Amino acid sequence: MEIALIGNPNTGKTSLFNNLTGSYEYVGNWSGVTVEKKVGVFKNHIGRLIDLPGVYSLNPLSKDEGVVTTYFLEEPVDRLLNILDASQLERNLHLTLQLLEYEKPALIGLNMVDVAANRGIQIDTEKLSQILGVPVVPVVARSGKGCDRLIEVISTNSSHSKVKKHVYYGKEVEDAITKLSIELTGKTDHSPRWLAVQLFEENEYVKNYLSNILETAKLESYISDLHSLLIQDNDHVKSLSNYIYLKRKEVIEKILEASVRKVSTVVPLSEKIDAIVTNRYLGMPIFLICMYLMFMLTFDWLGTPLSDVLDGILTGPVTIGVEKLLGAIHASDFIHALIIEGLIAGVGGVLVFVPQIFILFFFISLLEDSGYMARVALVMDRIMESVGLNGKAFIPMMIGFGCNVPGIMAARTIETPRERLMTILLTPLMSCSARLPVYALFVGAFFVGHKALVVLSLYVLGIVVALVLAKIFTKTLLKSETSLFVIELPPYRLPQIQSLWRSTWDKGKGFVRKAGTFIFAGSVFIWLLSYAGPEGLKVDMDNSFLAAIGNLFAPILEPIGFGTWQAAASLITGFLAKEAIISTMNIIYFVPNDASLQGLLSHYYTPLAAYSFMVFILLYIPCLATTATIYKETGSKKWTMFSILYALFIAYVLCLIIYQGGKLVGLV
Amino acid sequence: MFGSFKVGDKGKIINISKVGRLVQRRLLDLGITEGSEVCVKCVMPFGGPVMIESCGQCIGIRRKEACLIEVERV
């Protein structure tokens, strides 16, 4: 049995999904957390639950909303679980009425009853259930209250709505629905009434679906006939879809009158906080202070000491232990070198940065869960608008600080195709967590006094480059006027430690897993390349295959400050995954621990070259996984190639300016 | 008109048809249309967006779109 979970954005669908299925999907407090449908199995194995992106209506505006309509048209839906935000019942019910017209067994989960009660809204669930003709179960998805009862009702109750026609659309529309329904009967598995109403609402997806059954011209004439008929009789009718909307609204008002009681109105805490964080003058500084604190904690106050401890353990007891073990089993020199110089150096070099990455992810989760994310989009909109984007594009970019892949996926919530494409192309410039180990290593070696500041400058540089490029793209490649910015600002909520930890772990485990698989295999491969050369095994590293490959590219890198084969080789592996740069460097400059690697680096880089190198890493290429995601999301080889090439170009030009310019003004 | 509204001012929407089609549709999704009561919660500097409250929810829209919405003071 397939049960579809559907509701307005940010009503807690994913929280409920996790509670009902025991999965750990990603939860956040802004509209558009889920952009692709997700499937889970109910805890009691009664069937599968499909988590769909949030929609206000079945008539989609953006791509993530289209996922829902396509699902309804093409997949077998057995039952619907509609989740409603009790504190926003009026607009939530517009969707519910459309779902009931779909004529599949349905069940309503009334979420956030606690929030509604705090605002003085009392809902008579019995009465609501009676009017809608389907069961209504109050739940609090965040804490899991009421979920057991919900599962019980889903498993036992499979009732179609007892009410046949929820909305009477007026004689003209009803006649047209009947006429169209007769033509459709027997030719489709869906409810003809639902299809007809959606068609009249100008739902393009439904129109495409119906054009497989009836001629497009005929469909068009149905719409235009009805439209002119309505305009003739009522001059206040603006459009067919608006007319249908108003009819539904009338019905909803009656439902609310019968089932909802408003006790009192209290000023929610949210508004008091908003008066500060989205204040005219304080909004932007507060955002920057938040970011600064995040970086200080990640790099200076908390992250670095923890990383140092971990490094001490890995290079001390772990290495010594492994060496003893290898000695005890009389391992060959080759195996010994492979494990100590290849694996421990390569994988260990990446693992050392786990504490810093988890701290960063913790803060990103905190921003997401509290509801501040949507405010940031609001605060940033003016700047984003001036370069041809909108404030919503800032959310994918912020997520991109964690990992570019979900960032690019999150761009689906942007309604206009042009702004969405721009956001996809620019998100890779956001400095993801995999680039962080490289910065951590280099700032530790060259900028000890200003670690957080130097790293923050790189993050800001990524954003500035993205904004400048956005402006350039808007003027040249992607010219178009349409821009849309309407954003819901959800109420703040106190993040729960449990969900924060879960969300941090969810993001962070990918990094750890990658270290155990991708980086593990990569380290072995890189070490072999450095161990073998044209003259055989165990060659001097400068004569190895790795050096030969690196030397091909080194001359190109000379003008930007790091024309060594070591730098070139590590940049090549960086395309596979950015943290592979660190593994490669650890293998190439094999030294007993991180601290001495930092000392060694000063022989190969000047501080200016080190900064140039970090800038190059920030910008030069999206990693393999990101490239694949760009291809999947744009569906275009051309734009995927473009995203790689423009990044290489910008990185090179910028590093050239920084390095040569820096030398000119006397920096070293 | 909305353009002259300051933080804390309340009004009722009387005409929303001059706003772009997509924005109009999105506002409708959020339950904001003719007859809705709105209150300006804050205004971002340099011509940035405005935050309005309607039926207990907060929404951000751009200033230039807000200016196209006709409202009467209540």
Side-chain angles (χ1 to χ4, degrees):
Chain A
M1 186 169 59
E2 294 230 328
I3 299 173
L5 182 59
I6 179 166
N8 276 200
N10 211 29
T11 48
K13 287 178 297 301
T14 306
S15 292
L16 188 69
F17 179 84
N18 288 347
N19 263 317
L20 293 178
T21 61
S23 341
Y24 303 104
E25 290 300 347
Y26 167 48
V27 185
N29 186 13
W30 82 90
S31 303
V33 178
T34 309
V35 289
E36 182 65 90
K37 66 172 191 190
K38 288 173 188 147
V39 184
V41 178
F42 274 98
K43 277 178 186 162
N44 62 353
H45 302 286
I46 53 158
R48 302 200 302 159
L49 185 65
I50 323 286
D51 187 17
L52 294 168
V55 288
Y56 300 103
S57 145
L58 291 178
N59 186 2
L61 266 192
S62 62
K63 175 147 179 177
D64 61 320
E65 296 175 342
V67 170
V68 178
T69 314
T70 311
Y71 176 80
F72 271 71
L73 285 170
E74 288 169 10
E75 310 247 350
V77 189
D78 295 317
R79 285 180 200 182
L80 301 173
L81 174 53
N82 178 206
I83 180 157
L84 301 183
D85 176 351
S87 63
Q88 289 297 339
L89 210 49
E90 186 176 343
R91 75 166 151 86
N92 279 248
L93 283 171
H94 279 277
L95 180 66
T96 306
L97 290 179
Q98 295 180 46
L99 294 175
L100 292 174
E101 279 166 358
Y102 188 67
E103 288 173 6
K104 285 281 161 90
L107 167 72
I108 287 172
L110 192 61
N111 192 20
M112 307 200 197
V113 275
D114 51 339
V115 179
N118 280 340
R119 288 206 199 153
I121 303 168
Q122 282 181 359
I123 297 165
D124 184 346
T125 46
E126 286 290 320
K127 188 79 193 163
L128 193 62
S129 158
Q130 193 194 329
I131 301 173
L132 295 173
V134 291
V136 176
V137 181
V139 289
V140 179
R142 255 167 50 94
S143 64
K145 207 173 125 194
C147 286
D148 294 340
R149 165 117 178 80
L150 197 63
I151 291 186
E152 198 185 297
V153 178
I154 297 173
S155 348
T156 54
N157 225 317
S158 75
S159 62
H160 281 77
S161 175
K162 292 184 187 77
V163 185
K164 275 287 155 259
K165 211 180 264 181
H166 291 88
V167 188
Y168 177 75
Y169 290 104
K171 188 173 180 309
E172 296 90 345
V173 182
E174 290 292 341
D175 285 350
I177 292 173
T178 316
K179 241 168 83 187
L180 186 58
S181 301
I182 293 167
E183 287 211 53
L184 292 176
T185 311
K187 291 175 189 154
T188 169
D189 296 333
H190 298 298
S191 151
R193 181 180 170 82
W194 178 74
L195 289 171
V197 174
Q198 290 295 325
L199 178 74
F200 295 147
E201 271 196 281
E202 290 146 56
N203 185 331
E204 289 298 320
Y205 285 66
V206 169
K207 197 171 161 188
N208 278 339
Y209 171 83
L210 284 177
S211 63
N212 295 326
I213 303 174
L214 294 174
E215 290 155 40
T216 317
K218 205 165 186 181
L219 295 173
E220 299 276 5
S221 78
Y222 261 110
I223 301 171
S224 56
D225 287 355
L226 182 57
H227 187 244
S228 46
L229 197 64
L230 276 175
I231 297 241
Q232 202 176 23
D233 291 351
N234 331 283
D235 44 298
H236 67 273
V237 175
K238 283 194 294 189
S239 68
L240 208 47
S241 56
N242 193 254
Y243 179 81
I244 292 174
Y245 176 87
L246 291 176
K247 284 289 173 195
R248 280 200 195 114
K249 195 174 168 176
E250 277 171 30
V251 174
I252 290 168
E253 274 161 12
K254 278 192 198 117
I255 296 175
L256 293 178
E257 213 169 282
S259 59
V260 176
R261 222 155 47 88
K262 278 207 170 186
V263 190
S264 64
T265 42
V266 207
V267 179
L269 182 64
S270 263
E271 295 192 11
K272 289 178 198 155
I273 301 177
D274 270 338
I276 303 166
V277 298
T278 55
N279 179 282
R280 256 185 104 79
Y281 306 105
L282 295 176
M284 190 69 80
I286 287 178
F287 172 64
L288 287 175
I289 290 170
C290 284
M291 298 307 281
Y292 181 72
L293 287 178
M294 184 165 113
F295 287 113
M296 284 307 278
L297 274 166
T298 310
F299 290 97
D300 269 2
W301 298 335
L302 192 61
T304 310
L306 284 175
S307 283
D308 288 346
V309 171
L310 195 60
D311 188 38
I313 295 171
L314 278 175
T315 49
V318 172
T319 312
I320 293 166
V322 172
E323 277 191 348
K324 269 195 190 137
L325 192 73
L326 289 171
I329 59 169
H330 303 292
S332 67
D333 276 356
F334 176 78
I335 295 290
H336 184 273
L338 171 68
I339 289 179
I340 300 293
E341 291 165 27
L343 283 180
I344 293 188
V347 179
V350 169
L351 281 181
V352 165
F353 297 99
V354 163
Q356 283 165 330
I357 280 165
F358 271 73
I359 293 170
L360 186 72
F361 280 148
F362 177 82
F363 281 100
I364 293 179
S365 304
L366 189 68
L367 287 180
E368 287 173 358
D369 215 35
S370 62
Y372 185 56
M373 203 71 128
R375 270 80 180 173
V376 173
L378 185 78
V379 171
M380 295 304 289
D381 181 64
R382 186 67 196 93
I383 295 176
M384 302 296 267
E385 189 193 5
S386 65
V387 297
L389 279 170
N390 78 49
K392 263 191 201 174
F394 209 71
I395 296 179
M397 291 184 177
M398 293 276 291
I399 298 171
F401 283 155
C403 173
N404 290 168
V405 172
I408 289 168
M409 302 273 288
R412 289 188 187 185
T413 54
I414 295 167
E415 290 91 346
T416 55
R418 183 189 68 91
E419 287 173 317
R420 179 165 169 256
L421 178 61
M422 283 238 277
T423 310
I424 291 173
L425 291 177
L426 297 174
T427 299
L429 299 176
M430 297 303 115
S431 185
C432 69
S433 60
R435 281 167 246 191
L436 193 149
V438 186
Y439 308 152
L441 181 71
F442 276 78
V443 293
F446 296 99
F447 307 100
V448 179
H450 318 278
K451 279 190 223 151
L453 212 60
V454 169
V455 176
L456 183 63
S457 79
L458 287 163
Y459 278 73
V460 173
L461 183 71
I463 298 175
V464 171
V465 171
L467 293 181
V468 172
L469 285 176
K471 185 78 189 168
I472 296 171
F473 291 168
T474 318
K475 290 272 178 222
T476 53
L477 289 168
L478 294 156
K479 279 185 257 183
S480 159
E481 286 302 306
T482 48
S483 172
L484 168 63
F485 179 69
V486 176
I487 192 166
E488 244 194 291
L489 302 162
Y492 286 103
R493 50 182 200 209
L494 203 62
Q496 291 176 322
I497 287 299
Q498 195 203 5
S499 74
L500 263 186
W501 161 244
R502 192 182 273 173
S503 152
T504 308
W505 169 244
D506 251 16
K507 295 189 185 89
K509 75 178 177 205
F511 184 83
V512 178
R513 194 190 294 138
K514 214 157 48 155
T517 53
F518 214 68
I519 303 295
F520 187 93
S523 296
V524 173
F525 184 66
I526 296 292
W527 180 80
L528 280 176
L529 279 181
S530 71
Y531 191 74
E535 288 144 35
L537 290 177
K538 216 175 170 185
V539 292
D540 184 41
M541 210 180 288
D542 286 328
N543 300 321
S544 67
F545 284 124
L546 195 62
I549 299 168
N551 273 326
L552 282 179
F553 296 96
I556 312 173
L557 300 174
E558 187 63 48
I560 54 175
F562 37 91
T564 58
W565 70 262
Q566 289 94 333
S570 53
L571 286 172
I572 295 169
T573 58
F575 173 62
L576 302 175
K578 295 286 163 83
E579 57 273 52
I581 295 171
I582 283 295
S583 308
T584 311
M585 289 193 139
N586 271 294
I587 294 168
I588 293 174
Y589 304 111
F590 177 71
V591 278
N593 61 52
D594 226 36
S596 33
L597 174 58
Q598 288 177 343
L600 196 68
L601 280 175
S602 57
H603 298 303
Y604 292 89
Y605 294 84
T606 62
L608 183 63
Y611 193 77
S612 170
F613 188 68
M614 286 194 285
V615 171
F616 198 75
I617 295 209
L618 165 71
L619 303 170
Y620 82 114
I621 208 167
C623 71
L624 192 62
T626 307
T627 311
T629 313
I630 294 175
Y631 179 62
K632 199 172 135 240
E633 292 294 305
T634 57
S636 148
K637 286 200 181 85
K638 191 185 91 185
W639 286 116
T640 312
M641 273 317 285
F642 178 75
S643 72
I644 295 175
L645 293 177
Y646 93 78
L648 271 173
F649 176 75
I650 289 293
Y652 196 83
V653 170
L654 213 62
C655 288
L656 199 64
I657 295 171
I658 290 174
Y659 187 66
Q660 298 298 342
K663 275 212 302 204
L664 273 181
V665 298
L667 294 172
V668 281
Chain B
M1 291 295 273
F2 224 157
S4 64
F5 270 43
K6 292 197 175 58
V7 173
D9 287 356
K10 285 198 176 108
K12 191 176 192 173
I13 298 180
I14 48 176
N15 184 7
I16 201 168
S17 62
K18 287 180 191 154
V19 182
R21 196 184 60 82
L22 286 175
V23 176
Q24 217 181 106
R25 166 63 209 286
R26 194 45 105 209
L27 287 174
L28 195 65
D29 283 340
L30 294 161
I32 297 176
T33 182
E34 272 103 1
S36 304
E37 281 195 19
V38 290
C39 173
V40 177
K41 284 285 159 193
C42 73
V43 181
M44 292 288 140
F46 311 113
V50 288
M51 179 167 153
I52 56 173
E53 189 254 12
S54 175
C55 1
Q57 62 189 337
C58 287
I59 288 156
I61 56 171
R62 284 191 172 148
R63 184 95 49 97
K64 62 169 191 268
E65 264 123 16
C67 288
L68 295 172
I69 303 175
E70 281 175 37
V71 281
E72 57 178 16
R73 261 170 223 277
V74 290

Coordinates of all heavy atoms in Angstrom, one line a residue, chain A residues 553-579:
Chain A
F553 N 51.5 19.9 -15.7 CA 50.7 21.1 -15.4 C 51.4 22.2 -14.6 O 51.0 23.3 -14.6 CB 49.4 20.7 -14.6 CG 48.5 19.8 -15.4 CD1 48.6 18.4 -15.3 CD2 47.6 20.3 -16.3 CE1 47.8 17.6 -16.0 CE2 46.8 19.5 -17.1 CZ 46.9 18.1 -16.9
A554 N 52.5 21.8 -14.0 CA 53.2 22.8 -13.1 C 53.5 24.1 -13.8 O 53.3 25.2 -13.2 CB 54.4 22.1 -12.5
P555 N 54.0 24.1 -15.1 CA 54.4 25.4 -15.7 C 53.2 26.3 -15.8 O 53.4 27.5 -15.7 CB 54.9 24.9 -17.1 CG 55.2 23.5 -17.0 CD 54.4 22.9 -15.9
I556 N 52.0 25.8 -16.0 CA 50.8 26.6 -16.1 C 50.6 27.3 -14.8 O 50.1 28.4 -14.7 CB 49.6 25.8 -16.5 CG1 49.9 24.9 -17.7 CG2 48.4 26.7 -16.8 CD1 48.7 24.0 -18.0
L557 N 50.9 26.6 -13.7 CA 50.6 27.2 -12.4 C 51.7 28.1 -11.9 O 51.5 28.8 -10.9 CB 50.4 26.0 -11.4 CG 49.2 25.0 -11.7 CD1 49.2 23.9 -10.8 CD2 47.9 25.8 -11.7
E558 N 52.8 28.1 -12.5 CA 53.9 29.0 -12.1 C 53.5 30.4 -11.9 O 53.8 31.0 -10.9 CB 55.1 28.8 -13.2 CG 56.4 29.5 -12.8 CD 57.0 28.9 -11.5 OE1 57.1 27.7 -11.4 OE2 57.3 29.7 -10.6
P559 N 52.8 31.1 -12.9 CA 52.5 32.5 -12.7 C 51.6 32.8 -11.6 O 51.5 33.9 -11.1 CB 51.8 32.8 -14.0 CG 52.1 31.7 -15.0 CD 52.4 30.5 -14.2
I560 N 50.9 31.8 -11.0 CA 50.0 32.1 -9.9 C 50.6 31.6 -8.6 O 49.9 31.6 -7.6 CB 48.5 31.5 -10.1 CG1 48.6 30.0 -10.4 CG2 47.9 32.3 -11.2 CD1 47.2 29.4 -10.6
G561 N 51.8 31.3 -8.6 CA 52.5 31.1 -7.3 C 52.9 29.8 -6.9 O 53.5 29.6 -5.9
F562 N 52.4 28.7 -7.5 CA 52.7 27.4 -7.0 C 53.0 26.4 -8.1 O 52.2 25.4 -8.3 CB 51.6 26.9 -6.1 CG 50.2 27.2 -6.5 CD1 49.4 26.4 -7.3 CD2 49.6 28.4 -6.1 CE1 48.2 26.7 -7.7 CE2 48.3 28.7 -6.5 CZ 47.6 27.9 -7.3
G563 N 54.0 26.7 -8.9 CA 54.3 25.9 -10.0 C 55.1 24.6 -9.7 O 56.1 24.3 -10.3
T564 N 54.7 23.9 -8.7 CA 55.4 22.6 -8.3 C 54.6 21.5 -8.8 O 53.3 21.6 -8.9 CB 55.6 22.5 -6.8 OG1 54.3 22.6 -6.2 CG2 56.4 23.7 -6.3
W565 N 55.2 20.3 -9.0 CA 54.4 19.2 -9.4 C 53.5 18.7 -8.3 O 52.5 18.2 -8.5 CB 55.3 18.0 -10.0 CG 56.2 17.3 -8.9 CD1 57.5 17.6 -8.6 CD2 55.8 16.3 -8.0 NE1 57.9 16.8 -7.6 CE2 56.9 16.0 -7.2 CE3 54.6 15.6 -7.8 CZ2 56.9 15.0 -6.2 CZ3 54.6 14.6 -6.8 CH2 55.7 14.3 -6.1
Q566 N 54.0 18.9 -7.1 CA 53.2 18.5 -5.9 C 51.8 19.2 -5.9 O 50.8 18.6 -5.7 CB 53.9 18.8 -4.6 CG 55.1 17.9 -4.3 CD 56.4 18.6 -4.8 OE1 56.4 19.4 -5.7 NE2 57.5 18.2 -4.2
A567 N 51.8 20.5 -6.1 CA 50.6 21.3 -6.1 C 49.7 20.8 -7.3 O 48.5 20.6 -7.1 CB 50.9 22.8 -6.3
A568 N 50.3 20.7 -8.5 CA 49.5 20.3 -9.6 C 48.9 18.9 -9.4 O 47.7 18.7 -9.7 CB 50.4 20.2 -10.9
A569 N 49.6 18.0 -8.9 CA 49.1 16.6 -8.6 C 47.9 16.7 -7.6 O 46.9 16.0 -7.8 CB 50.2 15.7 -8.1
S570 N 48.1 17.5 -6.6 CA 47.0 17.5 -5.6 C 45.8 18.2 -6.1 O 44.7 17.8 -5.8 CB 47.5 18.1 -4.3 OG 48.0 19.4 -4.5
L571 N 46.0 19.1 -7.0 CA 44.8 19.8 -7.6 C 44.0 18.8 -8.5 O 42.8 18.9 -8.6 CB 45.2 21.0 -8.4 CG 45.6 22.2 -7.6 CD1 46.2 23.3 -8.4 CD2 44.5 22.8 -6.8
I572 N 44.8 18.0 -9.2 CA 44.1 17.0 -10.1 C 43.2 16.1 -9.3 O 42.0 15.9 -9.6 CB 45.1 16.2 -10.9 CG1 45.8 17.1 -11.9 CG2 44.4 15.1 -11.7 CD1 47.0 16.5 -12.6
T573 N 43.7 15.6 -8.2 CA 42.9 14.7 -7.3 C 41.8 15.4 -6.7 O 40.8 14.9 -6.4 CB 43.8 14.0 -6.2 OG1 44.3 15.1 -5.4 CG2 44.9 13.2 -6.8
G574 N 41.9 16.8 -6.5 CA 40.9 17.6 -5.9 C 39.6 17.6 -6.7 O 38.5 17.8 -6.2
F575 N 39.7 17.2 -8.0 CA 38.4 17.2 -8.8 C 37.5 16.0 -8.3 O 36.3 16.1 -8.3 CB 38.8 17.0 -10.3 CG 37.5 16.8 -11.1 CD1 36.5 17.7 -11.2 CD2 37.4 15.6 -11.8 CE1 35.4 17.5 -12.0 CE2 36.3 15.3 -12.6 CZ 35.3 16.3 -12.7
L576 N 38.2 14.9 -7.9 CA 37.4 13.8 -7.4 C 36.7 14.1 -6.1 O 35.5 13.8 -5.9 CB 38.3 12.6 -7.2 CG 39.1 12.1 -8.4 CD1 40.1 11.0 -8.0 CD2 38.2 11.7 -9.5
A577 N 37.4 14.8 -5.2 CA 36.8 15.3 -4.0 C 37.8 16.2 -3.4 O 39.0 16.0 -3.4 CB 36.6 14.1 -3.0
K578 N 37.3 17.4 -2.9 CA 38.2 18.4 -2.5 C 39.1 18.0 -1.3 O 40.2 18.4 -1.2 CB 37.4 19.7 -2.1 CG 36.6 20.3 -3.3 CD 37.6 21.0 -4.2 CE 36.9 21.3 -5.6 NZ 36.1 22.5 -5.6
E579 N 38.6 17.1 -0.4 CA 39.5 16.7 0.7 C 40.6 15.8 0.2 O 41.6 15.6 0.9 CB 38.7 16.2 1.8 CG 37.8 15.0 1.6 CD 36.4 15.3 1.1 OE1 36.3 16.1 0.2 OE2 35.5 14.8 1.7

